[in-house]
Amino acid sequence: MVGCCIWGRSWVGWRRGPGVRAALAAAGFGTKAGHQLQPQGSSKRSGPRRDQPCPGLLRPEDLSREELVDVLTAAVVDQKGPLVTVNKPQGLPVTGKPGDLTLLSVLPELSQSLGLGERELQIVRAPGNAITDGIPATSEGKIQAALKLEHIDGANLVVPVKPPSRKDILEGVKRTLSHFRVVATGSGCALVQLQPLTVFPSQLQVHMVLQLCPVLGDHMYSARVSTVLGQRFLLPAESTKPRKQVLDEALLRCLRLTPSQAAQLPLHLHLHSLLLPGPRPRDTPIELLAPLPPYFTKTLQCLGLRQQ
């Protein structure tokens, strides 16, 4: 199977090919084709941590490589043909620096554990819902931006480029597009449904920053949004260093968090659903659903946001 992602409004397509080379990883989702499967749990849990805003998040630093493979093997909720569905534990990064313990780094061992032999697993992702600090100016629309990766102060960061020249495009600048729709608002925040129509690292995070509404828990790009006399504006991306997200006192009270706890908030960007076409044109599509993780649900309740 050659994993072929086609980003549309609510689906990912794939085509047949030799071998099994696709894995779908998302936070806590099951499979639905007329019904929804409940994800399997894992017996391995990290211990409690003081001042932790989201108890139960996985701490990869507490696990060995072998233990992480065991956790992921237990988290497989569906395996059909070329598609393996994994309930990725919250707190486990998908990618990282060389030597980091990530989902990508243990895919070869996971493939062996699942009996796939030398067949390669690949990750397919498509975040769908986000809780934002701030409310977009319009209830729905599209976000277009030319983006590029730049190495700034030892980190690879995504920065917007306007307007991109032909030389910029040849040097790695990509025109990106996302659709958004505000689902609910409350306490100065919004629950936003996002659909990327292009693929670029951190695309949705940067797109929401350009809307002056950074994703809650975005400790990489939220610093680009500043406020003076209650008015938000963008700081230059090239000269703004990443830092822990700073939330105002009213929002901290709503979330029942201290500033130090807010600095540990996970990114509130969550894959909601994917619709896969069946193997044959008349087959019923397979819908993969991602139940909200506990911390996401808790935040919705604290902010009075109700998902439609």
Side-chain angles (χ1 to χ4, degrees), residues 12 15 32 59 62 73 76 80 85 140 167 169 175 178 194 196-197 206 213 231-233 253 258 278 290 293:
V12 169
R15 60 184 177 84
K32 180 179 179 182
R59 298 173 62 192
D62 292 339
T73 301
V76 172
K80 292 180 180 177
T85 305
E140 61 181 301
K167 180 181 177 182
I169 300 300
R175 291 187 174 92
S178 299
L194 293 162
L197 299 184
V206 175
C213 299
Q231 298 298 313
R232 295 190 174 197
F233 63 95
R253 287 195 297 271
T258 65

Side-chain angles (χ1 to χ4, degrees), residues 24-47:
L24 182 61
F29 65 83
T31 305
K32 180 179 179 182
H35 67 284
Q36 177 176 334
L37 299 179
Q38 295 299 321
Q40 300 171 4
S42 171
S43 60
K44 296 185 179 292
R45 297 180 182 272
S46 58

Side-chain angles (χ1 to χ4, degrees), residues 87-139:
N87 174 21
K88 185 183 77 67
Q90 295 298 317
L92 174 65
V94 176
T95 61
K97 300 185 297 246
D100 287 351
L101 196 58
T102 64
L103 174 61
L104 186 63
S105 72
V106 298
L107 285 185
E109 292 98 322
L110 181 60
S111 180
Q112 293 289 337
S113 178
L114 297 177
L116 300 178
E118 298 301 321
R119 291 174 291 185
E120 181 184 353
L121 289 171
Q122 292 181 338
I123 299 168
V124 181
R125 296 176 294 168
N129 285 340
I131 298 177
T132 61
D133 175 17
I135 300 173
T138 58
S139 60

Side-chain angles (χ1 to χ4, degrees), residues 15 17 26 30-32 52 70 75 81 84 104-105 113 115 195 197 207 212 216 225 236 271 284:
R15 60 184 177 84
T31 305
K32 180 179 179 182
Q52 186 178 7
D70 288 342
V84 178
L104 186 63
S105 72
S113 178
Q195 179 56 58
L197 299 184
H207 278 187
L212 303 178
L216 196 63
V225 178
L271 185 151
T284 301

Side-chain angles (χ1 to χ4, degrees), residues 127-130 143 178-181 192-196 204 208 269:
N129 285 340
I143 307 167
S178 299
H179 284 288
F180 74 92
R181 182 173 71 88
V192 180
Q193 185 180 69
L194 293 162
Q195 179 56 58
L204 295 181
M208 293 315 299
L269 184 59

Side-chain angles (χ1 to χ4, degrees), residues 182-186 190-191 292 299-301 303-308:
V182 176
V183 177
T185 61
L191 176 62
L292 297 176
T299 299
L300 289 177
Q301 293 171 345
L303 296 176
L305 299 175
R306 293 186 178 181
Q307 189 174 15
Q308 300 297 320

